[in-house]
Amino acid sequence: MKARRSALAGAVLALTLVLGACGGGDGSGGNGSSAAPVSTDDDITLTLAWWGNEERAAHYKEAIDVFEAEHPNITVQSQFQAWGDYWPARNTEAAGGSLPDVFQMDLAYLRQYANNGQLLALDSQIGTNLDVSGFEENLLSSGNVDGKQVAIPTSTNTLALIYSPDLVDELGVELVGEDYTWDDYFEFLAEAGAATEAGGLDGWGSEDM
């Protein structure tokens, strides 16, 4: 089973845009180790899990259909849950050593799973079964833990800060300038939060992600 995952997880990652590949925690295919390759002509079944809704599931299933058409000897068994149900299911599987072969990962949990030896190091697959030539290095590095590539990013977000000019004026605080630093921003949040409380308003300086 470990060999099967080592040889093929990278290919599924590339074609179905999932984030993490499961290995064992016993040193025979988990984080930082490699397993013996297997023949890609064998009949193989892989499990794939992700979180999301029916719309995301439809896109994943389209990708799976393309992958299975190109690799008729490989069957992908898929499942998905809502975010709130996804991690309890993965944690239960992790405790029992039965994580999916490939599954979507969140950065908040990446190091935890990697340090527990539950993610397969993908370095040997890059350039072989896994084409990462289209990734910017700083994006690809988000899936690197302690020098080992254990996940492949599927996307990145552009974050924005939105504020209410009327509320800032009402609070009587000075908004940070265009060249603000994190220290400037945190100082502004403290001042805005204090002014909000002093004014008897219900709120905080900012949402904390």
Side-chain angles (χ1 to χ4, degrees), residues 37 52 101 109:
D101 295 307
Y109 301 98

Side-chain angles (χ1 to χ4, degrees), residues 78-119:
S78 63
Q79 60 168 302
F80 74 98
Q81 291 105 351
W83 171 265
D85 299 322
Y86 183 82
W87 294 107
R90 301 294 80 78
N91 290 338
T92 298
E93 292 165 346
S98 59
L99 280 166
D101 295 307
V102 183
F103 61 104
Q104 191 169 342
M105 173 58 64
D106 186 81
L107 280 177
Y109 301 98
L110 184 62
R111 179 169 292 275
Q112 171 191 334
Y113 278 74
N115 287 346
N116 287 337
Q118 293 162 333
L119 301 181

Side-chain angles (χ1 to χ4, degrees), residues 24 54 58 61 67 89 102 112 116 131 161 167 182 187 191:
E54 292 290 345
K61 289 175 181 177
F67 178 82
V102 183
Q112 171 191 334
N116 287 337
D131 181 7
L161 292 175
L167 182 57
W182 283 115
E187 183 178 351
E191 293 175 355

Side-chain angles (χ1 to χ4, degrees), residues 160-178:
L161 292 175
I162 302 173
Y163 74 98
S164 168
D166 292 341
L167 182 57
V168 171
D169 290 341
E170 180 181 349
L171 295 175
V173 294
E174 184 177 353
L175 191 67
V176 294
E178 292 184 1

Side-chain angles (χ1 to χ4, degrees), residues 15-17 48 50-67 78-81 104:
L15 292 172
T16 63
L17 301 180
L48 167 65
W50 67 87
W51 70 79
N53 54 21
E54 292 290 345
E55 183 178 359
R56 175 178 287 184
H59 290 302
Y60 268 105
K61 289 175 181 177
E62 287 179 8
I64 291 171
D65 288 343
V66 172
F67 178 82
S78 63
Q79 60 168 302
F80 74 98
Q81 291 105 351
Q104 191 169 342

Side-chain angles (χ1 to χ4, degrees), residues 2-207:
K2 301 298 191 303
R4 168 172 60 89
R5 294 175 178 179
S6 177
L8 296 169
V12 180
L13 278 162
L15 292 172
T16 63
L17 301 180
V18 297
L19 283 178
C22 171
D26 58 0
S28 59
N31 183 22
S33 61
S34 59
V38 298
S39 172
T40 54
D41 294 327
D42 295 340
D43 289 332
I44 296 167
T45 298
L46 292 174
T47 54
L48 167 65
W50 67 87
W51 70 79
N53 54 21
E54 292 290 345
E55 183 178 359
R56 175 178 287 184
H59 290 302
Y60 268 105
K61 289 175 181 177
E62 287 179 8
I64 291 171
D65 288 343
V66 172
F67 178 82
E68 289 182 332
E70 293 184 2
H71 305 276
N73 61 306
I74 302 176
T75 299
V76 179
Q77 296 179 343
S78 63
Q79 60 168 302
F80 74 98
Q81 291 105 351
W83 171 265
D85 299 322
Y86 183 82
W87 294 107
R90 301 294 80 78
N91 290 338
T92 298
E93 292 165 346
S98 59
L99 280 166
D101 295 307
V102 183
F103 61 104
Q104 191 169 342
M105 173 58 64
D106 186 81
L107 280 177
Y109 301 98
L110 184 62
R111 179 169 292 275
Q112 171 191 334
Y113 278 74
N115 287 346
N116 287 337
Q118 293 162 333
L119 301 181
L120 185 72
L122 301 172
D123 303 83
S124 64
Q125 299 300 316
I126 293 177
T128 304
N129 292 316
L130 190 56
D131 181 7
V132 297
S133 58
F135 288 90
E136 293 186 7
E137 182 57 36
N138 60 349
L139 179 59
L140 188 62
S141 65
S142 65
N144 193 292
V145 175
D146 295 334
K148 298 180 178 65
Q149 194 73 36
V150 296
I152 303 299
T154 60
S155 61
T156 184
N157 290 326
T158 298
L159 303 181
L161 292 175
I162 302 173
Y163 74 98
S164 168
D166 292 341
L167 182 57
V168 171
D169 290 341
E170 180 181 349
L171 295 175
V173 294
E174 184 177 353
L175 191 67
V176 294
E178 292 184 1
D179 296 327
Y180 69 88
T181 65
W182 283 115
D183 287 339
D184 296 333
Y185 179 60
F186 296 147
E187 183 178 351
F188 164 75
L189 295 186
E191 293 175 355
T196 299
E197 183 177 3
L201 301 176
D202 183 17
W204 294 266
S206 175
E207 180 181 20

